[in-house]
Amino acid sequence: MTKSTLDNLHGDIGHDGPDAAADQQGAADSRTLHESMPECDMPREKFKRHGAAALTDTDLIAIMLRTGVHGVNVMELARTLYSQFGNSITRMGDASLQELMATKGLGEAKAIAFAAALELGKRRQLESLECTRIMSSEDCYKFFLPRLVHLPSEEFHVAVVDAQMHVLAEKMISKGGINGTVVDIRTLMREVLRLSGSGFFVAHNHPSGAVKPSRQDVDLTKRIAAAARTLDVRFIDHVIVARGSAGRKYYSFSDEGMID
């Protein structure tokens, strides 16, 4: 499949070498972080008080980097690194050492430590997913339930599977408001193709608790099915996860005969 066809679819471990000197200087510069931010806002303090989940992506990046470099404090360096990759942890995780080092102030030692931390994150995710199989609409619902059911706004996620229906990866594709979210089908399909998946499931939540699909949900499902056929990838199911404890908990487009 050519790029043009896809684009037409819509809808800090040890120090060594020169970098060690930069990090040593950075240790002095890092006090800028403490001097310029309230104690309760410093990443390490936030981590100790509230846990990792309370930190922003740049807070976590700053903790991994540990120190800034000459003229740049660690938070500034973290923000620069994050923006260099479009504020995407996935893109950062896929970056080469040379691409990471292209960020001004990020020397070899810091880049290696950072890349190692991201690799651990990826291995953790794979370890948690490697035994997961989605064999039915109910399996799909149970897989996405903890990811979607308690959200106050709509999110649209994809789970890419191999030929044996083992989950290769799960990712949020879009996030919206209470009543809906806009899904870029090109982004969805690029994620499926990037992982060389045999097929994929999608799901989104209805914070209202209603499981009945809207006209927009039906139209989106049809457009995803058309894109999957064009790219010769199996679109298995689209499940709507409802919020609430009463009544029907999910809606499966496949069970309802709405996916070819």
Side-chain angles (χ1 to χ4, degrees):
M1 181 54 55
T2 64
K3 181 178 184 297
S4 60
T5 299
L6 183 57
D7 286 341
N8 285 331
L9 299 172
H10 294 287
D12 198 281
I13 46 188
H15 301 288
D16 54 62
D19 199 43
D23 281 352
Q24 188 172 29
Q25 177 63 52
D29 291 329
S30 65
R31 65 176 177 267
T32 306
L33 173 63
H34 295 260
E35 292 168 354
S36 62
M37 299 176 66
E39 183 180 8
C40 63
D41 289 337
M42 291 187 291
R44 290 188 185 89
E45 290 303 315
K46 287 170 66 176
F47 190 104
K48 288 190 291 184
R49 295 186 185 196
H50 307 295
L55 275 65
T56 65
D57 289 350
T58 50
D59 287 336
L60 293 169
I61 292 169
I63 288 175
M64 287 191 287
L65 293 175
R66 296 185 59 209
T67 63
V69 294
H70 183 62
V72 181
N73 70 44
V74 69
M75 285 303 295
E76 292 173 321
L77 181 57
R79 283 191 289 268
T80 298
L81 178 59
Y82 194 41
S83 63
Q84 183 102 4
F85 293 94
N87 297 342
S88 169
I89 297 297
T90 298
R91 288 178 59 186
M92 293 172 71
D94 291 339
S96 66
L97 186 61
Q98 290 70 29
E99 288 173 324
L100 290 171
M101 290 172 62
T103 299
K104 184 178 180 181
L106 197 67
E108 185 178 83
K110 282 187 181 296
I112 289 174
F114 189 73
L118 289 173
E119 179 62 25
L120 277 174
K122 285 194 285 187
R123 294 184 187 187
R124 177 182 182 275
Q125 182 182 41
L126 289 173
E127 186 177 276
S128 68
L129 292 174
E130 62 184 1
C131 294
T132 300
R133 298 179 74 190
I134 301 178
M135 303 297 294
S136 66
S137 61
E138 185 174 2
D139 288 345
C140 184
Y141 162 68
K142 289 178 178 178
F143 178 81
F144 284 109
L145 180 66
R147 295 163 170 81
L148 295 171
V149 71
H150 298 300
L151 297 175
S153 59
E154 281 200 17
E155 289 189 5
F156 186 92
H157 290 222
V158 61
V160 182
V161 298
D162 63 16
Q164 287 73 46
M165 310 296 277
H166 290 101
V167 176
L168 298 173
E170 183 273 340
K171 184 179 181 180
M172 180 184 73
I173 298 299
S174 67
K175 182 177 182 178
I178 296 174
N179 297 316
T181 181
V182 176
V183 178
D184 187 330
I185 297 178
R186 291 169 299 182
T187 300
L188 169 63
M189 300 311 300
R190 283 194 181 104
E191 188 65 21
V192 175
L193 295 176
R194 182 181 72 83
L195 292 162
S196 300
S198 175
F200 65 100
F201 295 82
V202 296
H204 77 280
N205 60 311
H206 279 179
S208 67
V211 296
K212 183 178 179 180
S214 66
R215 186 182 74 251
Q216 291 86 351
D217 293 336
V218 173
D219 179 63
L220 173 63
T221 304
K222 290 178 179 179
R223 290 189 292 123
I224 293 173
R229 285 194 296 270
T230 299
L231 298 171
D232 196 24
V233 180
R234 185 182 176 200
F235 174 31
I236 306 169
D237 203 353
H238 178 186
V239 167
I240 298 173
V241 178
R243 188 180 189 183
S245 58
R248 193 174 177 187
K249 302 298 192 304
Y250 71 95
Y251 181 97
S252 162
F253 283 83
S254 181
D255 288 354
E256 298 298 326
M258 299 178 70
I259 296 178
D260 297 335

